[in-house]
Amino acid sequence: MPNIRLKRLWLGEYGIIAGRINDLAWDGESKRIIAVGNGKERFGHCITSDSGNSVGEISGHSSQINSVSIRQQRPLRAATGSDDTSVGFFHGAPFKFNTSLRDCHNKFVYGTAFSPDGSTLASVGSDRKIWLYDGQTGAPSRQIGQDAHTGSIFGVSWASDSRKFVTASADQTVKIWDTEAGKEIQSWRTGDGVSIPDQQMGVVWPHGRSDGLVISVDLGGNLIYMPAAKHSPGKYHAAERKATLWTGSADGRTRAWNLENGLCSSLDGESHSSYVSSITATSEGDRVYTAAWDDSIRTIDTTNETYLGSGRSATKAQARSIAAVTSQIALAATSSGIEVHQEGRLVANHATDSFGPQAIAFSPSSNCVVVAGDDKALHAFELSDKTTLTPKQVTSDATSSAGSALAFSPDGMNLAVGTASGGISVFATSSWSLVTSRWSAHTGRVTSLAWSKDGKHVVSSSLDTNVYVWSLANPGKRVKAGNAHKEGVNEVVWHDKVWSVGSDAAVKTWQVQDLT
């Protein structure tokens, strides 16, 4: 049976503030954590990592705290930056408020960072100022880089030698500074012209590397890699991608993930404006179709990683599930019927008056389309002329509740069916006879199913937060990955490894071994 290996060391979950956490920092002994943000009764707190016990108060601010940094040497010090335009300085441990530095910045303070040797503290903010302080006393030392950045400075990070640091700004630039000279020594700019998604929101200078790599994140959620020896930022392009995972989110955005290295890239072109509910790819992999709650289906050119301008097709009703037929044709299961979309146009709508379609799947080997209905039946159609659906078979009472997910095996000989009540059945497509209905461990709606390449195993996801791997040869046995996604698992795919996405906004990979 499969062996799913999940390395997880769960130490605890602790309440810090009643609101969003903006930043956190560890002390040099890896024993204490300070977390800050926008709370109601307080804006930050310090706890021990092993028990969550309080080891100090983070006070002295009148507005949300945006950043925190802890000096890694004793005597321990901490610094915070806030919307109240001040930098808070704390002594520890336990951490207690020492002083408020209010004469340096005159707008929001977005970043604070102690140098690795603890000698210097740096702060940055929306006033485009960079201030340096004594790392032990908190006394202001000097301001550098006046007007070098033309937009708010959102992030700051130190090199391991404590002689240089890097800043990231809304002006789309990342700059390296010489601490002693107080001068800029290198700068990168991202994007063409004025581009809001290219605003640089954070930056880190990883230690332990010989290439001086700097990594920043932009407003679009992309990571930008900048070796100190090069003057142009590096990105990863589609030409380097061999296997890709496509994901869609509640805000309408779609992302492409390189399955070999886990890197993510955004797409060009106009995306959806609301929740992306379904994604499917053609068997050739040249096109990906996405459906969303904005009542549209869009087409992605996978080679260029862009939405096609001519690939937007409006649906008559909200698409619950879609299936790819060719690089020009996609099928959609909506509340009113089965729609056929071709090259950005709705070309046919097959009304289903007797049932409401819940999920749809297409088998290219047999040109068979199967729709799971709210009548607990499986409705099979033959697709001819790429747009005409001819009823072929109705398997009544196929499931105990309405079908919610469908997946053909790679050879098209079997169809896995997941239901709203958590059950999973498998049918032989040659006769539509039941192969097994013993896969019944889920306690919530089954959201997706995916087959292994050899067609002997199926992985399932559910709103119950769990992922299961099932064996066709041994239907009574299963392997569970519990609490895979805290708020429910939305979809799984199987490509060498199992990949899952959930309502926790996470993408996870699972190693599956020793299949029998």
Side-chain angles (χ1 to χ4, degrees):
M1 281 299 294
N3 175 28
I4 297 183
R5 297 182 179 179
L6 173 60
K7 294 182 179 179
R8 176 185 292 173
L9 183 59
W10 186 267
L11 296 179
E13 183 174 339
Y14 313 116
I16 302 296
I17 57 176
R20 185 185 68 240
I21 293 178
N22 293 331
D23 197 11
L24 55 84
W26 287 82
D27 71 349
E29 300 168 357
S30 299
K31 295 180 179 179
R32 306 167 190 86
I33 300 173
I34 296 179
V36 299
N38 189 15
K40 295 180 180 179
E41 297 180 356
R42 61 188 180 191
F43 301 113
H45 197 49
C46 182
I47 61 171
T48 56
S49 61
D50 58 349
S51 64
N53 292 332
S54 176
V55 283
E57 292 186 0
I58 304 301
S59 58
H61 289 292
S62 59
S63 297
Q64 72 168 332
I65 302 175
N66 301 311
S67 65
V68 61
S69 180
I70 300 178
R71 187 173 186 262
Q72 301 297 288
Q73 300 80 12
R74 286 185 177 271
L76 296 181
R77 299 289 187 264
T80 54
S82 169
D83 275 3
D84 64 11
T85 75
S86 71
V87 173
F89 202 75
F90 301 81
H91 288 187
F95 285 96
K96 296 181 180 180
F97 177 77
N98 175 256
T99 187
S100 181
L101 306 171
R102 296 184 177 276
D103 297 327
C104 298
H105 293 279
N106 54 33
K107 292 184 179 180
F108 298 162
V109 181
Y110 287 134
T112 53
F114 282 96
S115 60
D117 63 8
S119 64
T120 308
L121 168 69
S123 67
V124 297
S126 61
D127 56 5
R128 299 173 292 176
K129 294 179 180 180
I130 303 171
W131 271 92
L132 302 179
Y133 313 80
D134 183 280
Q136 186 168 336
T137 67
S141 173
R142 54 184 171 141
Q143 179 189 350
I144 68 171
Q146 181 70 36
D147 298 327
H149 281 294
T150 58
S152 297
I153 307 175
F154 290 117
V156 58
S157 181
W158 287 85
S160 57
D161 61 8
S162 298
R163 298 170 59 185
K164 298 182 293 292
F165 63 89
V166 61
T167 55
S169 171
D171 63 9
Q172 301 171 221
T173 66
V174 173
K175 297 179 182 292
I176 293 180
W177 303 86
D178 183 298
T179 308
E180 183 176 351
K183 294 183 178 180
E184 172 190 327
I185 57 176
Q186 189 165 352
S187 179
W188 297 274
R189 180 180 173 85
T190 61
D192 298 322
V194 177
S195 173
I196 293 177
D198 286 305
Q199 292 183 3
Q200 300 302 300
M201 307 304 295
V203 66
V204 64
W205 200 327
H207 298 173
R209 299 180 62 99
S210 59
D211 57 359
L213 179 71
V214 170
I215 305 174
S216 68
V217 61
D218 64 22
L219 188 58
N222 302 301
L223 294 177
I224 313 298
Y225 295 77
M226 295 166 281
K230 297 183 180 180
H231 290 271
S232 59
K235 288 190 176 181
Y236 292 83
H237 302 283
E240 301 171 357
R241 181 168 286 107
K242 295 182 179 180
T244 307
L245 173 71
W246 302 87
T247 61
S249 63
D251 58 8
R253 293 187 294 180
T254 305
R255 293 290 183 263
W257 300 79
N258 187 320
L259 297 190
E260 293 184 351
N261 54 32
L263 293 173
C264 173
S265 60
S266 59
L267 275 65
D268 295 327
E270 183 183 358
S271 62
H272 291 284
S273 60
S274 62
Y275 184 92
V276 179
S277 57
S278 185
I279 297 180
T280 185
T282 61
S283 57
E284 296 83 4
D286 58 338
R287 292 289 186 271
V288 168
Y289 298 102
T290 61
W293 286 3
D294 57 7
D295 294 341
S296 72
I297 295 175
R298 295 178 184 268
T299 306
I300 298 172
D301 179 347
T302 61
T303 301
N304 297 311
E305 290 188 2
T306 183
Y307 276 106
L308 296 178
S310 59
R312 185 186 186 280
S313 183
T315 58
K316 288 184 173 295
Q318 194 173 97
R320 293 170 174 166
S321 176
I322 57 175
V325 178
T326 69
S327 58
Q328 292 83 33
I329 299 174
L331 305 175
T334 73
S335 58
S336 61
I338 307 167
E339 299 182 0
V340 181
H341 294 260
Q342 183 174 11
E343 295 183 331
R345 296 182 299 109
L346 174 62
V347 296
N349 182 32
H350 300 266
T352 54
D353 299 330
S354 61
F355 69 95
Q358 303 297 306
I360 190 170
F362 171 71
S363 174
S365 60
S366 59
N367 277 338
C368 178
V369 177
V370 174
V371 177
D374 56 7
D375 57 355
K376 305 178 186 179
L378 294 177
H379 302 262
F381 300 83
E382 182 179 1
L383 180 65
S384 58
D385 301 327
K386 303 299 183 183
T387 59
T388 303
L389 291 175
T390 304
K392 183 178 179 181
Q393 171 77 28
V394 177
T395 306
S396 302
D397 296 322
T399 55
S400 59
S401 61
S404 58
L406 299 172
F408 278 101
S409 60
D411 59 7
M413 298 302 293
N414 291 304
L415 175 72
V417 183
T419 69
S421 60
I424 302 172
S425 302
V426 178
F427 293 84
T429 57
S430 59
S431 60
W432 296 106
S433 58
L434 183 66
V435 177
T436 183
S437 60
R438 298 175 63 188
W439 298 351
S440 57
H442 283 298
T443 58
R445 178 186 182 92
V446 176
T447 54
S448 72
L449 302 162
W451 289 82
S452 59
K453 288 183 178 180
D454 59 11
K456 296 180 179 179
H457 299 84
V458 171
V459 61
S460 62
S461 64
S462 169
L463 294 181
D464 64 7
T465 76
N466 301 321
V467 172
Y468 284 95
V469 174
W470 310 87
S471 170
L472 204 58
N474 299 289
K477 296 183 179 180
R478 59 183 181 269
V479 173
K480 175 183 178 181
N483 197 28
H485 293 271
K486 186 177 180 181
E487 304 297 331
V489 190
N490 294 334
E491 190 139 6
V492 286
V493 296
W494 200 331
H495 180 88
D496 296 332
K497 299 178 182 178
V498 170
W499 295 73
S500 64
V501 295
S503 298
D504 55 2
V507 178
K508 296 185 178 181
T509 178
W510 309 80
Q511 185 68 48
V512 184
Q513 297 177 338
D514 305 326
L515 296 177
T516 59

